[in-house]
Amino acid sequence: MAERRLLTESEMLNTIRNGLPPAVAPKKIAIAGAGMAGLVAGTLLMDAGHDVRILEASQRVGGRIYSVRAPFTDGHHFEAGAMRIPHTHKLVFEYIHRFNLPYNRFVNRLPEDLFYANGRKTRSAEYDRNPELLGFPVAPHERGKTAEDLMKYAIGPLIDYVNQNPEKNWPIVIQHYENYSVDAFLKNNPFGRSLSAGAVDKIKVLISLEGFPELSFLETFRDILLIFIQPDLRFYEITGGNDQLPNAFVPHLGNRLLFGKRLTRIVQRPKKVSLFTENPVSREAEEFEADRAIITIPFSVLNFVQIEPEQSLSYLKRRAIRELHYVPSTKVGIQFKNRFWEQEGLHGGKAVTDLASRFTYYPSHYPAGVQSGVVLGSYTWEDDSNLWSCLPSRIRVGETLRCLSVLHGPQVFEQYMTGSSFSWTNNPYAGGAFTMFKPYQEKEFGDVISTPEGRLHFAGEHATTTHGWIQGSIESAIRAAHEVHESE
């Protein structure tokens, strides 16, 4: 095996544009999973001349990019999975442009955003002028500060230190602070900037961290906070559904994409590796022998795959497969006859509440010529999602309507047309929405997750530091494709 490559962003962009060099000795390659990581790696390797098979358990591509279209009418959908793309994620846009896919702004926030907490309702602009409107019991010296102000105060020294020399200082930050949970860092701040319980509650409710108190602070700092506290960050969505991105790979891959192939067993031999699959419906079993295999399925699902010999995986890899944390997430989409929220100034934007629904996102783009609209009525994750994952879809829709009626009045019941929901926790091919480390996991598992083991290579958002984003899946796929291409 050649030494692992640490590819720069420009090298990854070059790989997308120009491909891998032609294979000198083409290999037989099996890829488990047809999410973005499997599709990107498979396409790059196939185009370089390798014999590729992509094995997918379900009947669709895309993994956790999933645009739900039924039971909605008028060409509507809602994004059960990845729903927004930061403008800084250049690898994603490289593929969007390559496939000539239309895209539009995802309006993440507006001055008209609704805030509802502690029985009080206000608008984002009003709240910014008077952060005490929502009645959080903050300490006297914390009054007059928004949740973003409080968070920036708490993490300011850390941001300054990382920005001085990111490459040198980030490993030092991991060494010193990776044992902190979100709650511990904010309440027992190592920089002497501890916040009161009321201020921490304000941050958790209004910056979508309420489900995350016991997760790694550094993971949250990197994956969420640095993105959401950047005022100039722009988000986009693919017009008509983000599933068009994975679907664009399908015609080129053709019969190399095999559906209904749930991975059950992996056997590593000195010169070959075999992936065994079972059809979830017919129970038909098959074996796919290859020179190399790329495993892109989440570790939560890989737990149920028998790997032989067991010692062909390192101790830390086996631990990572068992222990890696996946965030539960549930979304509820509801179609209404008319877009009544637009009369309230919500052309996009969101509602943030301490109700069970937590987050509501309003569309800013619709199919042409229609009056109806689909709202992402409830978006919850981590502990907040556990309230929803046990409920049948009908009850999720009903409870979401009840929460929306607190914000918009009884018209939500009159305007209701249909609804649908999706829980990633309950999906047998996902086992959660995305990876987020718990304290200590970054240091123990950070490099281990993506390290090849014998003839097995690993990709997926969990195999990068860009957890929970399409960009991470693509990064990992390009890295794994290079590894396989350059292997003996």
Side-chain angles (χ1 to χ4, degrees):
M1 166 68 64
E3 187 177 341
R4 295 187 73 204
R5 290 174 55 89
L6 294 175
L7 299 168
T8 64
E9 185 174 68
S10 61
E11 285 178 307
M12 289 188 277
L13 287 168
N14 182 64
T15 301
I16 295 172
R17 290 167 187 158
N18 302 311
L20 298 165
V24 177
K27 302 179 186 72
K28 201 170 184 179
I29 299 160
I31 298 175
M36 279 301 294
L39 295 169
V40 169
T43 299
L44 289 171
L45 289 164
M46 181 187 79
D47 288 348
H50 298 286
D51 181 8
V52 173
R53 293 292 179 274
I54 302 177
L55 313 176
E56 169 57 41
S58 73
Q59 293 297 320
R60 66 173 183 86
V61 298
R64 285 166 287 179
I65 300 176
Y66 182 28
S67 307
V68 176
R69 300 180 185 281
F72 307 114
T73 61
D74 298 334
H76 289 301
H77 70 280
F78 89 96
E79 299 294 351
M83 68 181 187
R84 53 194 161 196
I85 305 161
H87 79 271
T88 53
H89 286 187
K90 294 179 183 177
L91 305 183
V92 186
F93 279 101
E94 190 66 32
Y95 275 113
I96 288 173
H97 293 139
R98 182 189 184 107
F99 293 122
N100 200 27
L101 298 174
Y103 57 95
N104 57 267
R105 282 289 292 271
F106 180 101
V107 181
N108 200 58
R109 60 194 301 169
L110 289 170
E112 292 79 15
D113 283 355
L114 288 170
F115 284 178
Y116 181 92
N118 304 313
R120 306 179 185 188
K121 186 169 85 167
T122 187
R123 298 275 181 174
S124 176
E126 297 171 75
Y127 159 78
D128 285 344
R129 287 192 294 270
N130 182 3
E132 301 313 303
L133 281 173
L134 294 174
F136 286 95
V138 300
H141 68 280
E142 296 165 335
R143 288 179 189 151
K145 292 182 171 66
T146 66
E148 285 86 356
D149 292 336
L150 291 165
M151 178 58 84
K152 287 175 185 175
Y153 169 75
I155 68 176
L158 197 57
I159 291 176
D160 293 342
Y161 179 68
V162 171
N163 284 343
Q164 285 170 17
N165 188 335
E167 195 170 331
K168 175 174 174 275
N169 291 350
W170 183 251
I172 297 170
V173 166
I174 293 173
Q175 190 71 28
H176 283 83
Y177 305 115
E178 65 107 27
N179 58 321
Y180 280 89
S181 68
V182 173
D183 255 17
F185 190 93
L186 296 178
K187 292 179 178 177
N188 301 289
N189 190 291
F191 297 99
R193 296 188 172 193
S194 298
L195 301 176
S196 69
V200 173
D201 185 40
K202 186 176 188 175
I203 286 170
K204 289 195 291 191
V205 170
L206 300 182
I207 312 184
S208 73
L209 300 181
E210 192 167 30
F212 291 171
E214 84 289 357
L215 294 189
S216 161
F217 168 75
L218 287 185
E219 175 80 289
T220 310
F221 173 73
R222 177 178 53 219
D223 276 8
I224 296 176
L225 300 179
L226 286 181
I227 287 178
F228 285 94
I229 64 175
Q230 292 181 52
D232 59 343
L233 193 72
R234 301 183 305 278
F235 291 93
Y236 292 87
E237 61 188 349
I238 297 172
T239 306
N242 288 341
D243 62 351
Q244 292 170 90
L245 179 56
N247 287 340
F249 287 84
V250 173
H252 185 56
L253 286 165
N255 61 9
R256 294 166 185 83
L257 264 173
L258 304 173
F259 296 98
K261 312 292 182 192
R262 184 178 71 87
L263 186 63
T264 59
R265 185 171 159 234
I266 299 170
V267 178
Q268 291 216 64
R269 303 182 180 91
K271 294 189 176 181
K272 296 288 180 184
V273 59
S274 286
L275 271 55
F276 294 83
T277 67
E278 181 183 80
N279 185 294
V281 178
S282 69
R283 304 297 183 206
E284 179 188 0
E286 289 182 78
E287 176 185 355
F288 296 88
E289 189 180 79
D291 299 305
R292 296 271 167 183
I294 302 177
I295 310 301
T296 76
I297 63 177
F299 278 9
S300 49
V301 177
L302 194 56
N303 265 285
F304 298 100
V305 176
Q306 186 179 346
I307 301 176
E308 302 171 14
E310 190 173 345
Q311 298 308 315
S312 68
L313 293 187
S314 65
Y315 165 77
L316 281 175
K317 181 79 80 178
R318 285 184 279 119
R319 259 196 70 199
I321 292 169
R322 291 200 312 272
E323 298 178 20
L324 187 60
H325 180 70
Y326 280 80
V327 171
S329 177
T330 305
K331 289 183 179 180
V332 183
I334 298 183
Q335 184 174 357
F336 294 99
K337 297 171 192 171
N338 294 285
R339 301 191 293 271
F340 54 82
W341 53 89
E342 292 185 343
Q343 295 162 21
E344 302 174 39
L346 290 163
H347 297 267
K350 62 184 179 295
V352 182
T353 81
D354 60 2
L355 302 169
S357 57
R358 297 299 189 256
F359 282 81
T360 296
Y361 284 88
Y362 303 91
S364 59
H365 196 274
Y366 331 88
V370 299
Q371 293 297 312
S372 62
V374 170
V375 167
L376 178 53
S378 173
Y379 180 16
T380 55
W381 47 18
E382 200 52 58
D383 291 350
D384 289 342
S385 175
N386 291 334
L387 309 171
W388 295 86
S389 59
C390 61
L391 299 175
S393 190
R394 177 181 59 83
I395 304 247
R396 290 178 193 158
V397 170
E399 289 299 318
T400 300
L401 284 171
R402 184 181 62 79
C403 292
L404 289 175
S405 73
V406 176
L407 300 174
H408 299 290
Q411 64 179 327
V412 300
F413 301 108
E414 299 155 14
Q415 294 287 340
Y416 169 73
M417 291 178 68
T418 188
S420 180
S421 71
F422 195 86
S423 170
W424 289 101
T425 320
N426 295 347
N427 182 271
Y429 309 132
F434 50 88
T435 304
M436 285 196 81
F437 289 136
K438 291 188 174 182
Y440 299 100
Q441 288 191 337
E442 175 138 2
K443 190 160 64 179
E444 295 183 3
F445 301 152
D447 293 329
V448 171
I449 293 167
S450 62
T451 302
E453 304 268 349
R455 295 184 172 274
L456 299 180
H457 301 256
F458 297 87
E461 55 88 23
H462 57 288
T464 69
T465 54
T466 317
H467 293 159
W469 298 95
I470 302 171
Q471 175 93 349
S473 294
I474 298 174
E475 286 174 13
S476 73
I478 295 170
R479 186 252 314 142
H482 274 277
E483 285 174 0
V484 168
H485 185 66
E486 295 159 13
S487 63
E488 298 296 326

